[in-house]
Amino acid sequence: MKALTTDVLVIGGGATGAGVAWDSASRGFDVVLADRADLGEGTSGRFHGLLHSGGRYVVKDPRAADECIRENRVLRRIAADCIEDTGGLFVTTPFDDPSYADRFLEGCRATGVDCEEIDTAQVLLEEPRLNPDISRAFRVPDAAIDVWKTIWALARAAKEHGGRVLPYHGAVAVHRDDDAVTGARLRDARSGEEVDVEARMTVNATGAWAGQLADLAGIEGVRVLPGRGIMIAMNHRLVNAVVNRCQPPADGDILVPIRTVSVIGTTDVHTEDPDDHTIAPEEVDAMLDAGEKLVPGFREARALRVWAGVRPLFEDTKEAVTSTRDVTRAHTLLDHAERDGVAGFMTITGGKLTTFRLMAEETVDAVCEQLGERRTCCTATLTLPGSESGQTYRLGERLKRREDNLTDEQLVCECELISRGKLEEAMRRRGTVNLDDFRRVLRLGMGPCQGGFCMYRATGIMHALDGLSAEQANEALLGFLQERWKGTWPILYGDQLRQARLDDWIFQGVLDVGHLQ
């Protein structure tokens, strides 16, 4: 069996785990980052794309609000290329308690969240689709963040410092030597091969799955409450800025413009299974109804896709929690040497994607303390690869680049303006035959056609480039289409139903996908 030795083994390749790997590597530790699937395929890749200002939590969860606004400012400096500075609004609609606005404003002052009340007439000039009967409006520094771009920038940064990144390597055992964890056994989900990783410190950054990994280590009582929520992507940007209803956090009260679409979210339902991605029809209807309260006519827009994600909510209590909305969105770090008498093992869970860097810093500080090695964190000032210019992403950047060389290179995906050269570069770099992996890196197939026009082209290019057999290429294509179908069928009505039928005709007519082997 293959064996690796490292200082720090990080299990969990979401934003937090990738952040821990980057922080550890930047402090000079040898690091291995492993995930059971592709990086960012879990909770991190299943949210609405919001870089929080903290405004959502200023009344009910001030600690989370404070963490969010501080890290919002840091990420704008170090990960600028991953962020679109849309700005954010909190608005009081006719369906909201008018008195909450004053509590919101006071909460912003108390937590340091930048907030300015603005005239509603000005807001309606900027956001003409908003409910015209809003009575108050506040501007906050919300933004949109590309999570996969961020996570792979973190992975690149870790590798530049000598770290090793192992996607599709799930932990099947955690090694114990009496009262210490000494590493883990990983299994490659693609080949079935296993590798033993000996580590001075193992970090459990698996989020909603943290309790399961702790169980493998023989540690009981790591109680993570998975909170499942659905989000719906609409076919275009219905708003220019992030728009929140000025009320206590509730279902369907936020609309986020992300790239070429807008996403409404989110529900919050307790589930026992962190892999529960159930999409209930009544939740979809409730979300569309909620959209009407923010943007009248919302239901007439084309719903492009719906998906579910599971939040890792940690509650260190034996009392039953009646609602996952009552659990703090701040993070929790468990040093199992102190908590359970088991050295060499830590769990970091909870929190928000916005606070991943802070969570990583606190985790690696604790790693240093347990290992008895004082090493200073520098990630608050260390720019991630791709963000060296300090310029935030601007909608239209891809179009501008394409206009500069319209006749030079073949276009594979018209929706997301992905060139053949860019796709081939990603295929060589990633070394994967999973088309969903390229979707996450390039947004391939995430536009209005949901892969209808680009995916058979991408499959052919991958087939020729990697020398796959026809059977392997067929399997890759069918796997991608099946994943896209999961998020399409719950919203099959109107224009989206017509688009789905068109895609079906394309794939049946061009490749006869119903009979592919």
Side-chain angles (χ1 to χ4, degrees):
M1 184 181 299
K2 185 179 178 181
L4 300 175
T5 301
T6 190
D7 293 323
V8 181
L9 169 61
V10 184
I11 302 176
T16 302
V20 171
W22 169 51
D23 190 310
S24 301
S26 69
R27 299 197 205 195
F29 288 113
D30 185 48
V31 179
V32 171
L33 170 64
D35 192 277
R36 66 175 186 170
D38 193 24
L39 301 190
E41 196 171 332
T43 299
S44 294
R46 292 178 170 272
F47 87 129
H48 40 43
L50 173 65
L51 181 70
H52 277 277
S53 64
R56 188 170 176 82
Y57 306 117
V58 293
V59 174
K60 191 172 182 179
D61 198 347
R63 179 191 162 197
D66 173 70
E67 291 177 353
C68 283
I69 187 57
R70 287 191 286 121
E71 290 303 299
N72 177 300
R73 294 164 183 156
V74 172
L75 293 182
R76 288 171 183 271
R77 294 196 305 269
I78 67 171
D81 187 51
C82 305
I83 295 168
E84 183 188 355
D85 190 9
T86 61
L89 296 167
F90 277 77
V91 297
T92 302
T93 75
F95 309 94
D96 304 324
D97 178 3
S99 67
Y100 184 82
D102 289 329
R103 296 164 59 199
F104 169 80
L105 190 57
E106 180 56 37
C108 287
R109 293 184 183 127
T111 55
V113 174
D114 305 296
C115 180
E116 173 193 11
E117 184 163 11
I118 53 178
D119 186 72
T120 56
Q122 177 62 36
V123 172
L124 293 173
L125 284 175
E126 297 174 6
E127 301 288 355
R129 290 190 178 92
L130 273 187
N131 190 317
D133 295 324
I134 59 172
S135 57
R136 295 183 75 176
F138 305 89
R139 199 185 303 279
V140 297
D142 284 336
I145 184 167
D146 187 323
V147 61
W148 295 302
K149 197 174 187 180
T150 304
I151 289 175
W152 279 102
L154 293 167
R156 284 173 56 198
K159 288 195 279 190
E160 287 175 1
H161 287 85
R164 288 164 283 183
V165 179
L166 303 177
Y168 293 102
H169 280 73
V172 294
V174 175
H175 300 318
R176 284 275 298 264
D177 183 4
D178 294 328
D179 293 330
V181 168
T182 59
R185 178 169 296 173
L186 310 176
R187 179 178 296 148
D188 189 329
R190 298 159 297 188
S191 68
E193 296 179 354
E194 296 186 348
V195 54
D196 269 332
V197 182
E198 181 183 342
R200 299 168 64 197
M201 180 65 63
T202 300
V203 176
N204 177 4
T206 56
W209 296 263
Q212 296 179 5
L213 188 67
D215 287 343
L216 282 181
I219 296 172
E220 299 178 352
V222 178
R223 186 166 179 253
V224 179
L225 305 173
R228 178 180 55 78
I230 72 161
M231 288 137 279
I232 303 176
M234 308 306 289
N235 192 39
H236 57 282
R237 289 166 72 120
L238 298 170
V239 289
N240 300 308
V242 177
V243 179
N244 308 260
R245 285 173 60 183
C246 195
Q247 63 170 12
D251 293 353
D253 62 349
I254 182 169
L255 190 57
V256 182
I258 180 77
R259 298 286 182 161
T260 57
V261 303
S262 50
V263 176
I264 189 166
T266 171
T267 55
D268 196 338
V269 179
H270 175 65
T271 177
E272 295 296 333
D273 181 7
D275 288 304
D276 178 10
H277 295 149
T278 302
I279 298 171
E282 58 270 22
E283 289 185 74
V284 174
D285 281 336
M287 199 64 56
L288 295 174
D289 288 342
E292 286 284 340
K293 296 177 179 179
L294 273 175
V295 176
F298 188 87
R299 274 186 170 272
E300 297 175 16
R302 177 179 157 202
L304 184 66
R305 183 171 184 80
V306 58
W307 67 93
V310 177
R311 305 171 187 83
L313 305 175
F314 181 79
E315 186 75 358
D316 198 4
T317 177
K318 295 182 180 179
E319 297 178 4
V321 175
T322 57
S323 171
T324 48
R325 288 236 182 252
D326 296 330
V327 182
T328 178
R329 267 45 177 175
H331 62 272
T332 300
L333 174 64
L334 304 177
D335 184 334
H336 294 289
E338 294 180 357
R339 183 180 186 269
D340 305 288
V342 179
F345 192 63
M346 294 197 180
T347 294
I348 178 69
T349 190
K352 308 292 296 180
L353 185 131
T354 301
T355 61
F356 76 82
R357 192 215 61 85
L358 175 64
M359 296 166 67
E361 178 180 350
E362 293 183 7
T363 302
V364 184
D365 281 348
V367 167
C368 290
E369 183 176 346
Q370 192 170 136
L371 294 179
E373 300 180 17
R374 194 184 195 104
R375 304 190 187 189
T376 303
C377 176
C378 58
T379 58
T381 56
L382 196 62
T383 302
L384 288 172
S387 293
E388 292 84 359
S389 70
Q391 297 295 312
T392 55
Y393 171 82
R394 294 186 301 279
L395 187 67
E397 280 187 7
R398 286 189 176 185
L399 178 59
K400 184 178 184 305
R401 287 196 296 268
R402 286 299 302 162
E403 288 177 337
D404 290 339
N405 59 358
L406 281 174
T407 60
D408 298 340
E409 196 171 7
Q410 181 182 11
L411 197 62
V412 176
C413 176
E414 290 91 347
C415 299
E416 295 292 334
L417 297 174
I418 300 167
S419 67
R420 178 167 185 157
K422 195 73 174 176
L423 177 59
E424 289 183 348
E425 177 190 350
M427 287 176 173
R428 293 189 184 98
R429 186 175 67 247
R430 290 297 311 277
T432 177
V433 296
N434 187 326
L435 289 166
D436 255 323
D437 294 348
F438 303 124
R439 174 183 65 82
R440 283 182 281 274
V441 172
L442 300 174
R443 296 184 63 81
L444 181 72
M446 291 184 69
C449 78
Q450 289 288 283
F453 292 95
C454 62
M455 203 47 58
Y456 61 88
R457 302 169 186 165
T459 307
I461 292 169
M462 184 172 69
H463 184 198
L465 189 67
D466 287 351
L468 300 179
S469 67
E471 290 76 13
Q472 289 173 313
N474 290 345
E475 183 180 355
L477 176 62
L478 292 173
F480 180 89
L481 294 177
Q482 183 60 37
E483 285 302 310
R484 291 288 89 186
W485 175 248
K486 289 178 183 177
T488 301
W489 73 262
I491 40 96
L492 282 180
Y493 66 90
D495 288 340
Q496 183 56 27
L497 176 58
R498 285 185 280 273
Q499 179 65 54
R501 289 297 295 137
L502 174 61
D503 290 347
D504 182 54
W505 289 335
I506 290 172
F507 282 102
Q508 296 290 355
V510 175
L511 294 174
D512 192 20
V513 293
H515 299 93
L516 288 180
Q517 298 295 323

